[in-house]
Amino acid sequence: MVAIGSKALSLDEVNRVLLGGEELTLETAALQQVEASFLFLEKFSAKKLIYGINTGFGPMAQYRISDEDTFQLQFNLIRSHSSGTGKCMSPLHTKALMIARLSSFMQAHSGVHPEVVHLLKDLINKNVYPCVFEHGGVGASGDLVQLAHLALVLIGEGEVWYEDKFQPTAEVFAKLNLKPIGIHVREGLAIINGTSAMTGVGLVNLIEAKKLLGWSVVLSAMINEIVEAFDDHLSAELNAVKKHEGQQQIAAKMREILTGSKMVRHRPDHLYKELEEEIFKDKVQEYYSLRCVPQILGPVYDTLAQAEKLVVQELNSVSDNPVVDHHLENVFHGGNFHGDYVSLEMDKIKIAITKLSMLAERQLNYLLNDKLNHKFPPFMNLGKLGFNFGMQGVQFTATSTVAENQTLSFPMYVHSIPNNNDNQDIVSMGCNAAIMTSKVIENTFQVLAIQVMTMLQAVDYLNCQDRLAGFSHKVYGEVRAIFPKFIEDSPRYKDLQKIQTYLKNNMPIAF
């Protein structure tokens, strides 16, 4: 069980709930604070003008709401903002969104009734996922539209994904004996006013981006191995004089992966001696996509480390407005719902992963172009040249997908559009940034699947399995178990899907 309450959640704990099947539990002391926050706000709000309790919302806040209409006001807010479009978020993204919202409420600064956190916890543990649409939020005043669809389900309306299909919320609640929340003070505004959609998707992006980085390191090591590159560009001595942690970590991991390889060459054994040739057949230095991997993937490592720090901080923050402080007996109005921290980090991840996919595409091109590698047949064709096609078709897919990544990498962070009658005059677009980043990540798994397929064909062409490092041989064996060597042409799309699933389900190395 992963407990939410007195201590900050980590990315690993979120991963254990999302992908490891662990359930959430709510700490008793934290629940007591949630109740104290609610009871304070209920008492404090009497006879006072407090935004979102007895006022309208946004530019309509100048209108006072009568006491008899305050509860209906919250229902109106939820229903009117349940207006998203596009696809529903994946169950994984929605589950992460719910964890992020629950984490924010458990800080006990939202003034919600305890039944809100109990129902959220139950929905997460029972794998009931609201239909939350991808399009709608602008990431300031929080992810209003996305979180309104969460709130719609919490009041027993809308639709949920349960048992592999969308069903009316009321029917699923009846089946599971779940009771919708009521409106007590400000539950509508408290639920929809926060950064939990972008944060939830951002957490999933971090988990998957770290897998991509691990696989890119592994595949970059393997390509250096099978082309029998020199090893000094990975040496501790060379990389230590460049003072970036990411570069040094990447180089160290590649050296670790290549331990025991009988293919990687040691430069002094070949070139640091008297040579008679005037023109060398072997390259003295490799192409940049092989030689500069620590310098290219190092910034990706550092970017993900910084993004994890900030997105996890957001996960453990209070992101709604106003903020209720029952200890100081006050209510503070401000802008904690603004998603700039997450938005900027999502754009940085998106750019970094696009560069990773570009590196993979260049390494793939090197393997497929016999005029560059002087080692393999064109397009890694193990059949009859001119008659068979090898990897020619799948290379088009890799090139096309990387090109899409490059276009998607335009930053959302600097693409604010004023709206809400200019009340929201500068916004973060954080949820858009997170969802676009998830698309880039999905694309990159597809590109790496093509790279893996090609790498294994190269190993079989060289018949070098017994000369590989132990780690490389393990990867070769595991993927060959789901993707056999091929010579004759046949559709490859199902093989690519299998390899992509394998990459997603395995974290090859830990940093």
Side-chain angles (χ1 to χ4, degrees):
M1 301 278 284
V2 171
I4 296 186
S6 60
K7 66 179 184 64
L9 281 174
S10 67
L11 184 63
D12 177 65
E13 287 174 316
V14 172
N15 190 26
R16 282 156 47 194
V17 176
L18 287 177
L19 300 172
E22 292 196 31
E23 291 192 348
L24 287 172
T25 184
L26 308 179
E27 291 188 349
T28 301
L31 279 171
Q32 290 171 347
Q33 292 300 308
V34 170
E35 184 173 21
S37 174
F38 164 73
L39 292 173
F40 160 73
L41 182 63
E42 187 177 47
K43 181 179 178 181
F44 183 83
S45 60
K47 309 301 181 183
K48 295 183 180 68
L49 187 71
I50 299 178
Y51 174 74
I53 293 178
N54 49 14
T55 74
F57 301 100
M60 307 295 284
Q62 306 309 114
Y63 293 87
R64 189 185 189 102
I65 306 300
S66 64
D67 291 344
E68 59 268 22
D69 288 336
T70 54
F71 291 164
Q72 187 60 43
L73 173 72
Q74 303 295 318
F75 285 113
N76 290 350
L77 179 68
I78 293 169
R79 290 165 180 154
S80 67
H81 283 62
S82 296
S83 55
T85 62
K87 297 187 299 181
C88 286
M89 288 185 182
S90 70
L92 189 64
H93 284 166
T94 306
K95 189 171 188 177
L97 174 159
M98 296 161 75
I99 294 170
R101 201 77 206 111
L102 179 58
S103 176
S104 182
F105 288 151
M106 289 299 288
Q107 311 303 312
H109 285 287
S110 300
V112 295
H113 192 280
E115 67 184 11
V116 175
V117 295
H118 284 293
L119 181 55
L120 259 176
K121 183 260 297 180
D122 288 342
L123 293 177
I124 293 167
N125 288 344
K126 294 177 184 295
N127 299 310
V128 178
Y129 308 119
C131 175
V132 177
F133 291 93
E134 289 185 343
H135 293 166
V138 297
S141 238
D143 300 312
L144 290 175
V145 171
Q146 280 89 2
L147 294 180
H149 284 279
L150 169 64
L152 192 66
V153 166
L154 292 177
I155 63 173
E157 302 177 15
E159 292 181 298
V160 295
W161 180 262
Y162 180 66
E163 295 182 337
D164 297 324
K165 61 182 178 181
F166 283 112
Q167 304 180 52
T169 301
E171 293 180 9
V172 173
F173 276 24
K175 186 184 302 183
L176 298 176
N177 198 28
L178 296 173
K179 181 182 177 183
I181 66 167
I183 296 298
H184 301 274
V185 182
R186 63 181 292 262
E187 277 70 23
L189 181 61
I191 295 168
I192 80 170
N193 216 197
T195 61
S196 301
M198 66 179 82
T199 301
V201 178
L203 291 165
V204 176
N205 288 344
L206 277 166
I207 291 167
E208 296 191 334
K210 290 172 76 172
K211 286 181 187 175
L212 285 172
L213 177 59
W215 278 117
S216 186
V217 171
V218 168
L219 297 177
S220 295
M222 288 181 68
I223 190 174
N224 273 278
E225 184 175 22
I226 64 177
V227 303
E228 299 180 279
F230 292 110
D231 63 0
D232 51 346
H233 60 270
L234 301 178
S235 67
E237 294 81 3
L238 179 133
N239 288 282
V241 299
K242 194 78 175 281
K243 305 301 181 182
H244 298 298
E245 180 183 357
Q247 176 178 333
Q248 295 177 29
Q249 288 280 354
I250 298 299
K253 286 296 180 183
M254 292 180 72
R255 293 195 302 271
E256 181 182 327
I257 291 163
L258 294 172
T259 300
S261 174
K262 298 180 179 64
M263 299 188 74
V264 176
R265 294 187 292 171
H266 191 50
R267 188 177 297 272
D269 296 340
H270 298 271
L271 297 182
Y272 288 0
K273 57 187 179 181
E274 189 172 338
L275 300 170
E276 296 181 356
E277 297 96 326
E278 293 297 324
I279 300 177
F280 304 108
K281 291 182 180 179
D282 286 344
K283 287 182 66 65
V284 176
Q285 297 190 106
E286 302 297 340
Y287 285 99
Y288 285 11
S289 61
L290 280 69
R291 178 170 28 125
C292 301
V293 173
Q295 294 82 1
I296 295 169
L297 293 184
V300 179
Y301 174 98
D302 289 330
T303 297
L304 294 182
Q306 174 71 359
E308 180 175 345
K309 173 186 173 184
L310 292 179
V311 175
V312 170
Q313 285 177 346
E314 191 74 23
L315 167 69
N316 292 290
S317 296
V318 177
S319 62
D320 50 330
N321 175 60
V323 167
V324 179
D325 193 324
H326 63 281
H327 299 289
L328 296 177
E329 297 186 345
N330 207 343
V331 174
F332 299 93
H333 293 69
N336 279 3
F337 50 59
H338 219 281
D340 275 49
Y341 272 106
V342 178
S343 182
L344 180 56
E345 295 310 310
M346 290 302 102
D347 280 349
K348 287 157 65 177
I349 292 175
K350 181 172 63 176
I351 292 167
I353 296 301
T354 291
K355 187 61 176 281
L356 184 152
S357 73
M358 292 164 62
L359 174 66
E361 188 276 331
R362 288 293 83 197
Q363 291 172 344
L364 175 67
N365 184 71
Y366 180 82
L367 290 175
L368 297 181
N369 190 335
D370 61 305
K371 296 178 179 60
L372 295 179
N373 61 61
H374 303 291
K375 197 176 190 76
F376 303 107
F379 303 111
M380 206 60 70
N381 184 352
L382 305 189
K384 182 178 178 181
L385 296 182
F387 178 71
N388 295 115
F389 291 90
M391 301 296 294
Q392 182 175 333
V394 293
Q395 184 183 20
F396 292 128
T397 301
T399 303
S400 169
T401 305
V402 171
E404 182 178 74
N405 278 359
Q406 290 171 319
T407 296
L408 287 172
S409 288
F410 180 88
M412 286 300 304
Y413 181 69
V414 294
H415 206 70
S416 174
I417 300 176
N419 70 112
N420 196 227
N421 284 5
D422 278 344
N423 172 54
Q424 298 182 11
D425 57 348
I426 183 165
V427 298
S428 74
M429 296 294 178
C431 201
N432 281 356
I435 289 169
M436 290 174 69
T437 299
S438 72
K439 175 64 172 173
V440 167
I441 288 169
E442 181 71 15
N443 285 350
T444 303
F445 274 111
Q446 297 166 16
V447 175
L448 293 197
I450 293 168
Q451 188 182 10
V452 169
M453 179 181 282
T454 307
M455 200 88 67
L456 267 58
Q457 291 292 99
V459 170
D460 280 315
Y461 176 79
L462 296 174
N463 196 26
C464 63
Q465 294 90 329
D466 294 339
R467 299 172 63 204
L468 294 174
F471 195 103
S472 304
H473 195 274
K474 177 177 178 289
V475 172
Y476 170 85
E478 288 178 353
V479 181
R480 273 295 183 233
I482 60 172
F483 164 60
K485 171 186 173 183
F486 74 92
I487 296 174
E488 300 300 327
D489 297 319
S490 63
R492 298 268 73 93
Y493 65 95
K494 290 187 177 179
D495 293 321
L496 288 172
Q497 291 168 0
K498 290 178 183 178
I499 297 172
Q500 185 178 344
T501 299
Y502 167 81
L503 296 178
K504 284 188 169 185
N505 289 342
N506 290 276
M507 175 69 83
I509 54 177
F511 288 104

